[in-house]
Amino acid sequence: MSSGWSQRLVSRRNLLAGAVFAAAAPRAFAAIDRGDDVNEIVARGNLRFAMPRFATRPFFTDATGDESGLDVEMAHGLAAALQVAPTFDRSATTFDDAVARLAAGEADIAICKLSRTLKRGRTIRYSQPYGVLHHGLITNRVRFAHIADGRPADDVVRDFNGEIGVIAHSAFAEFASTNFPNASIREFGDWSSMIDAVRDETLDMAYRDDFEIKKLLVDDPSLTVVARSITLTDKTDTLAIGIRPDASHLAAFADLYLDLARNGVSVKTDEIIARYRADTGA
């Protein structure tokens, strides 16, 4: 066989292989991810947001009136970027309920001071963080002094084996077992009943993010007389947009929105406290 004939044969084989690949590649990539989720949302004309019915100011107000707050503003901005209308599903009674709405495909997005956790990450997608808080504890001064028995607060917290309160079906219910493996975890239905237990010395410590603890002291400065707060600066609570698991294009779009519309900047505790003061006149 001549070298010219051999070269022409190889070229024809390459062309045939290229044609087969070119025909198959679009189908293969379409099978992996066609990105139809954003097209579906645009065609539908609305972006469905899951948000709990209760209020967590300044992120969102309760379901009884017009929605407002940092997360509501972000939701409107994201919907406007897609040129669709935002609709709010306020049926969730807990943060985990909002996550369940996403996992079931009954909502597209959850923007609701939603903490990133590994457990939630198994069922939904997350955007990059838009807020970074620290973990915090609040404890009765008298009870903590008895527990500490002269030891530094850091030592007490590091090896804590007493009782820690968390809100049921929240991120901190998940964080507690990991960060305080020797403690007894007690779940509460809401934040106010947990703080009442701290006041009454029937709970050793309440565990939540440092923003909620600082907000508590803004609302009731007299609480500092009976309680002390402890910020865990080595533990962060990152807030992100939750996205339904099959919506990879929407997840990428949410990241792009945070990069371009918000310059990729995460809000911190002190900024959120300032917004809370401005919204409430506190």
Side-chain angles (χ1 to χ4, degrees), residues 4 8 15 33 43 54 84 97 130 143 145 186 221 226 240 244:
R8 287 195 297 274
L15 286 171
D33 184 2
F54 53 80
V84 297
D97 277 351
Y130 68 85
R143 191 176 183 91
R186 179 176 163 194
V226 297
R244 73 180 210 234

Side-chain angles (χ1 to χ4, degrees), residues 11 28 34 55-56 65 93 95 108 125-126 140 212 217 256 270 275 277:
S11 296
R34 295 168 59 192
T56 298
T93 58
F95 292 106
D108 303 307
R125 294 175 183 263
Y126 277 114
N140 185 285
E212 292 294 345
L217 301 177
L256 182 65
D270 289 345
R275 171 63 184 264
R277 288 183 182 275

Side-chain angles (χ1 to χ4, degrees), residues 126-147:
Y126 277 114
S127 71
Q128 61 179 274
Y130 68 85
V132 180
L133 312 175
H134 286 104
H135 293 208
L137 298 161
I138 187 165
T139 179
N140 185 285
R141 288 185 180 274
V142 173
R143 191 176 183 91
F144 187 79
H146 176 73
I147 293 167

